[in-house]
Amino acid sequence: MTERIAFPFIPDSFERFFSLPQSAMKTPFETAAMAVLALSVYPENKDLSFRMLEALRGPRPLSPMDKQFIADRFRGKDYLMRSYFDGTSPENDYTPAVPYTVTVSENPYSYAEPNFAKLFVACSGADSPRPIELRKAKDGKWYLWEQFLLAGIRQPESRNPWA
C-alpha cells in the first residue's frame, strides 16, 4: 500500500504543527509524513524542528548525539528534506509545490515485528525510497522510532558545477 499525505503548509510553530490532522499519529503513514515535515523545518528553525521530532518520538527524547547527527547531515544541504516532497527534482532545485505531499509506502516485510512498522518515503534525490521505522504504543499512536532520511542525495543543479 502507498499513501500520499498532503500538508497545506510547512508549520512555523509547534501549535501549527499539531493543528494538522496527521498529528493524531493514528497510522504509521501519518507519523512518517509528519517526521518529514518536522525535519523540513530544520534549516529555518533548528529548535522548533527538534521539539517537533521529540513530540513524534514520544517518551524517547533526542540525545545530544542525535541532535549532532542531524546537524552534521544538514551542513551545507538545506535542500535535503525538500527532496521528500512530490514534484521536486535536482533540476528544479527541489522546489516543492503546495500542497506539500509526501509519498509513503509499505512492503511485504513492513510489519515483521509486532507493534513496529518499517515504511519507505519517496525521495526525488535518491534512486530508491528511504526507510523510516515507527512503533505503536499503548495509547494506540504510532511514534517515530528511527529515521534514515538524512543520507546524501543528488545536489540541486544550481549547486552542481557539473550539471
Side-chain angles (χ1 to χ4, degrees):
M1 179 166 81
T2 297
E3 286 192 26
R4 294 180 72 234
I5 298 171
F7 300 105
F9 55 83
I10 303 289
D12 56 3
S13 71
F14 194 70
E15 294 72 27
R16 288 194 80 197
F17 183 68
F18 277 96
S19 74
L20 295 164
Q22 296 85 355
S23 69
M25 302 184 323
K26 293 178 184 176
T27 73
F29 292 89
E30 288 179 344
T31 305
M34 291 294 286
V36 169
L37 202 59
L39 284 165
S40 72
V41 171
Y42 184 87
E44 298 299 318
N45 189 331
K46 296 168 183 57
D47 292 334
L48 179 58
S49 178
F50 288 151
R51 193 169 168 211
M52 292 171 175
L53 287 169
E54 287 191 335
L56 293 174
R57 288 171 55 98
R60 295 177 48 233
L62 291 167
S63 70
M65 193 167 72
D66 293 329
K67 292 178 181 180
Q68 186 59 52
F69 176 81
I70 292 169
D72 290 346
R73 293 300 173 266
F74 271 105
R75 192 163 289 118
K77 298 178 184 170
D78 63 338
Y79 55 86
L80 179 62
M81 291 311 296
R82 294 193 311 260
S83 70
Y84 290 97
F85 294 114
D86 291 1
T88 64
S89 69
E91 294 77 28
N92 72 7
D93 291 328
Y94 298 112
T95 304
V98 179
Y100 301 92
T101 305
V102 179
T103 300
V104 183
S105 302
E106 63 184 19
N107 70 22
Y109 308 102
S110 287
Y111 303 95
E113 293 182 54
N115 297 315
F116 283 89
K118 184 175 185 178
L119 301 179
F120 301 88
V121 184
C123 176
S124 64
D127 293 331
S128 59
R130 300 288 170 87
I132 186 166
E133 295 177 0
L134 307 120
R135 183 177 187 177
K136 189 174 186 179
K138 291 178 188 176
D139 63 5
K141 292 181 181 182
W142 286 89
Y143 290 92
L144 176 61
W145 189 251
E146 194 70 55
Q147 57 82 18
F148 304 95
L149 305 176
L150 299 175
I153 60 170
R154 289 183 285 280
Q155 282 187 331
E157 280 193 5
S158 65
R159 297 187 188 196
N160 183 353
W162 302 103

